[in-house]
Amino acid sequence: MLTKKTKYGLKAMAYLAGIEPGQTALVADIAAVNQIPKKFLDAILSELRNAGFVYSKKGKGGGYMLARGAGEITVGDLVRTLDGPLAPIQCASKRLYRKCDDCDEARCTVRLVMLKARDAIADVLDNTTLEQMRGLGQIPIDAVSESAGAAMDMARG
Amino acid sequence: MLTKKTKYGLKAMAYLAGIEPGQTALVADIAAVNQIPKKFLDAILSELRNAGFVYSKKGKGGGYMLARGAGEITVGDLVRTLDGPLAPIQCASKRLYRKCDDCDEARCTVRLVMLKARDAIADVLDNTTLEQMRGLGQIPIDAVSESAGAAMDMARG
DNA sequence: CGAGTTGTCTAGAGATTTTGTAGAATGAGT
DNA sequence: ACTCATTCTACAAAATCTCTAGACAACTCG
């Protein structure tokens, strides 16, 4: 399960993807609209800024904006930044791999299953950009929940 | 990320799936072979027992065995029992759904993405049985007799 | 029956992570 | 100067995770 921090971060990024390009949004506004504690969101956006996803400007007329186009930021990368590896267990992670100390890796069947789970998760999250995520809000719900594959194709298209 | 508890539980179940049908395994042996703290494993197996996945017998000659065939127990159900929902966020869960309080569900794009992630995860874990998981670990025989074989022999006493 | 074996249950300790808050500092604009 | 808004450091309550202790209950064997 993702932490609230990650969920808040994704919602904030979706918000930023929705404002006019070149405009900035205030933390206070993002927090109010999405029901996120303001100070907590401060820290989250700060982290996203250090990771290069958003650009910030202080003072009057300041605020946050995306550092790149919404079509060039994937949900997968945001989740990795805020929540850590996509894989269910770290020894099954590809980008944030770390050896686990309680089993022999080559023969650990749990790891082999989780490797497949990781690929399935990454296939969804790494192929969904902020722009596509926003687009999901305009699709009738039953079309999304009905078939993951069909929805994916739509999102990719 | 899954907790260690879940990982331990899966490893223990894989172990039980590997012994002769009708035989029991001691907690102490499962713990030793898989490097799991014995008392912790006690609690985990107890939970799996309450959930109906394993059968236990007290006293001399006792121990644990699978309550059903290894082909009838899915990794997904084990993970749900030990770790909770498969979905990255609970409002995107199907079997363990719970409303989230910080957003309007129908329009929450984060939820819609995580619904697809959930489907992808469930597609892997619900379609992988303990038997299939064990199959993933099939390796050359000479490699087995080395350390795993010795450990197994030790475990069977 | 009695002794040894093995799982069961309750309780909780210790560590870590999560979810925030407070308040001063920094930089930008007017 | 003054205000606005992000940034930084520090902290703390709450929840969760990981693991242990110890008494207890059920079982087998002789």
Side-chain angles (χ1 to χ4, degrees):
Chain A
M1 295 259 297
L2 297 182
T3 59
K4 286 201 174 187
K5 176 173 136 187
T6 303
K7 191 183 179 188
Y8 290 163
L10 289 175
K11 288 175 74 174
M13 289 298 280
Y15 182 97
L16 290 178
I19 63 178
E20 293 295 308
Q23 296 289 69
T24 62
L26 300 183
V27 175
D29 288 342
I30 305 174
V33 170
N34 293 289
Q35 311 201 58
I36 304 171
K38 198 253 181 192
K39 278 291 195 179
F40 197 12
L41 186 54
D42 270 347
I44 295 167
L45 284 171
S46 203
E47 203 170 329
L48 288 172
R49 173 180 158 277
N50 290 333
F53 291 109
V54 297
Y55 166 81
S56 69
K57 204 177 151 190
K58 288 182 179 177
K60 192 157 192 176
Y64 281 92
M65 66 172 68
L66 296 185
R68 287 173 271 153
E72 292 158 26
I73 298 174
T74 69
V75 176
D77 283 336
L78 292 172
V79 170
R80 284 191 192 90
T81 297
L82 296 171
D83 209 74
L86 298 188
I89 50 182
Q90 198 153 10
C91 65
S93 174
K94 284 183 181 164
R95 302 203 198 173
L96 301 169
Y97 169 84
R98 242 190 69 187
K99 187 179 179 317
C100 63
D101 45 348
D102 63 316
C103 57
D104 170 10
E105 188 144 307
R107 234 174 272 129
C108 178
T109 58
V110 173
R111 178 171 163 273
L112 294 173
V113 171
M114 293 311 161
L115 219 43
K116 299 207 303 185
R118 186 227 90 102
D119 286 342
I121 298 169
D123 192 45
V124 172
L125 300 187
D126 282 337
N127 289 309
T128 305
T129 65
L130 277 183
E131 192 173 27
Q132 289 166 338
M133 183 166 93
R134 252 177 63 75
L136 289 178
Q138 274 110 44
I139 299 173
I141 303 254
D142 32 339
V144 176
S145 53
E146 183 175 304
S147 153
M152 251 341 269
D153 293 343
M154 270 185 65
R156 286 209 188 97
Chain B
M1 295 259 296
L2 299 181
T3 59
K4 285 200 173 190
K5 176 173 136 187
T6 303
K7 190 183 179 187
Y8 289 163
L10 289 175
K11 288 175 74 172
M13 289 298 279
Y15 183 98
L16 290 178
I19 63 177
E20 293 296 309
Q23 296 288 69
T24 62
L26 300 183
V27 175
D29 288 340
I30 305 174
V33 170
N34 293 289
Q35 311 201 56
I36 303 171
K38 197 252 181 191
K39 278 291 196 179
F40 197 13
L41 186 54
D42 269 346
I44 295 167
L45 285 171
S46 202
E47 203 169 330
L48 289 171
R49 174 180 158 276
N50 290 334
F53 291 108
V54 296
Y55 166 81
S56 68
K57 205 177 151 192
K58 289 181 179 178
K60 193 161 192 175
Y64 281 93
M65 65 173 68
L66 296 184
R68 287 172 272 155
E72 292 158 28
I73 299 175
T74 69
V75 175
D77 283 337
L78 293 172
V79 169
R80 284 192 192 87
T81 298
L82 296 171
D83 209 74
L86 297 189
I89 51 183
Q90 199 154 9
C91 66
S93 175
K94 285 184 180 165
R95 303 204 196 171
L96 300 169
Y97 169 85
R98 242 190 68 188
K99 187 179 180 317
C100 63
D101 44 349
D102 63 316
C103 57
D104 170 12
E105 188 146 305
R107 234 174 270 133
C108 177
T109 57
V110 173
R111 177 170 164 274
L112 294 174
V113 170
M114 294 310 160
L115 217 44
K116 300 205 299 187
R118 185 227 91 101
D119 286 341
I121 298 168
D123 191 46
V124 171
L125 301 187
D126 283 337
N127 289 310
T128 304
T129 65
L130 277 184
E131 192 174 27
Q132 290 167 337
M133 185 167 93
R134 250 176 64 75
L136 290 178
Q138 291 315 339
I139 49 167
I141 300 218
D142 45 355
V144 175
S145 57
E146 197 75 3
S147 65
M152 286 291 285
D153 292 341
M154 198 191 86
R156 292 221 180 90

